[in-house]
Amino acid sequence: MSKTAFVVEDEENIREIIKCALESCGLQVQGFEKAESLFEQMKTVLPDLILLDIMLPGMDGLTALKRIKLGPTEHIPVILLTAKSSEIDKVTGLDLGADDYVTKPFGVLELMARVRNALRHAASPEQESHILQANALVLDKDRHEVTLENEPIELTLKEFELLRILMENSGKAMKRNYLLDTIWGYGYAGETRTLDMHVRSLRHKLGDHTGKHLISTVRGVGYRFDG
Ligand code: CA
């Protein structure tokens, strides 16, 4: 199966050049004008590589990068595109977890070399499993199914997503706004009641005792899954 790359670049010309270059490397490419649209798309499908412009309308590239590296998308290699070649940007980008950097204007061959390099480095580490498991609790991402002690648990779509993200980041305190943004989308940042209600219902469905034990409240931050 061919690999996919998502390209976020607001300038159409450059986006098209990048698309052509990557397609000639055998990649399937989807272009986005804004980081917000990238995140919207990544709710349903994740790419093998992201090319991210820094200067974007709306959410800027460095903020987007931070967000990519915070969640279940953290393993996706990111190449930053920037018109600024100042050292400070490079340091910030690499500190935030970017895999590489291309300064505009760039040559197509250089870009292709960087892309191949990033994909090579990304290849192989832990092959992502479709099964998340914590003792008797099993979440099957492909089948969209959750079982506890082999008994199926009926979850709503949002509850499922919430549990999946918490389990994928087991042991890590997940910020409220991150969970809200990722599961409900942008307009919801700050609507913590929505999140709290879903956590409560999720805990209840997992069995109040087990539920509270598995999903801890981290005061001032959000929630943490303790497998
Ligand atoms: Ca730009």
Side-chain angles (χ1 to χ4, degrees):
M1 225 175 67
S2 67
K3 300 209 169 194
T4 55
F6 286 175
V7 179
V8 191
E9 164 61 79
D10 55 316
E11 283 162 76
E12 198 184 347
N13 295 346
I14 302 181
R15 198 167 63 235
E16 286 308 311
I17 292 173
I18 296 174
K19 256 179 112 169
C20 287
L22 299 193
E23 279 166 2
S24 75
C25 291
L27 287 161
Q28 284 194 344
V29 186
Q30 252 181 287
F32 303 90
E33 272 182 64
K34 299 194 307 182
E36 286 84 348
S37 329
L38 167 80
F39 288 110
E40 195 53 44
Q41 179 70 350
M42 288 203 300
K43 282 183 195 163
T44 41
V45 57
L46 297 180
D48 297 291
L49 175 72
I50 298 170
L51 279 88
L52 186 59
D53 187 23
I54 291 189
M55 303 283 276
L56 291 166
M59 183 192 288
D60 68 89
L62 290 179
T63 307
L65 173 64
K66 224 182 285 178
R67 194 168 148 192
I68 292 167
K69 293 299 172 184
L70 259 177
T73 46
E74 66 179 341
H75 64 283
I76 302 172
V78 177
I79 298 178
L80 289 175
L81 307 168
T82 178
K84 299 188 201 171
S85 57
S86 59
E87 281 303 310
I88 183 77
D89 269 352
K90 287 188 191 173
V91 171
T92 313
L94 297 174
D95 275 354
L96 291 174
D99 294 80
D100 208 347
Y101 229 91
V102 181
T103 307
K104 292 190 264 188
F106 49 80
V108 167
L109 290 178
E110 182 200 354
L111 177 69
M112 284 162 72
R114 303 266 180 138
V115 164
R116 274 193 292 263
N117 194 36
L119 287 173
R120 211 169 23 242
H121 284 299
S124 69
E126 12 57 276
Q127 207 39 280
E128 248 213 279
S129 165
H130 298 291
I131 307 278
L132 297 168
Q133 187 164 12
N135 300 322
L137 178 66
V138 178
L139 181 146
D140 188 323
K141 291 194 253 181
D142 278 358
R143 297 171 60 93
H144 230 266
E145 234 175 46
V146 175
T147 56
L148 183 63
E149 285 162 359
N150 294 320
E151 291 292 323
I153 296 183
E154 295 294 331
L155 297 183
T156 65
L157 193 59
K158 300 290 190 203
E159 288 164 354
F160 183 90
E161 284 303 294
L162 178 60
L163 183 61
R164 176 182 65 79
I165 292 173
L166 289 172
M167 286 181 83
E168 279 177 341
N169 295 281
S170 181
K172 219 156 136 184
M174 300 303 285
K175 291 191 181 135
R176 283 165 180 282
N177 276 350
Y178 174 79
L179 293 169
L180 282 162
D181 275 2
T182 314
I183 301 168
W184 281 271
Y186 269 89
Y188 276 87
E191 293 275 335
T192 56
R193 233 172 1 141
T194 308
L195 177 63
D196 295 338
M197 269 163 47
H198 279 77
V199 169
R200 198 180 315 146
S201 134
L202 187 54
R203 280 175 175 156
H204 181 70
K205 288 182 179 177
L206 295 175
D208 281 322
H209 179 72
T210 318
K212 269 183 203 136
H213 178 72
L214 286 176
I215 304 171
S216 311
T217 304
V218 184
R219 217 180 281 180
V221 182
Y223 294 100
R224 186 186 64 227
F225 187 86
D226 294 307

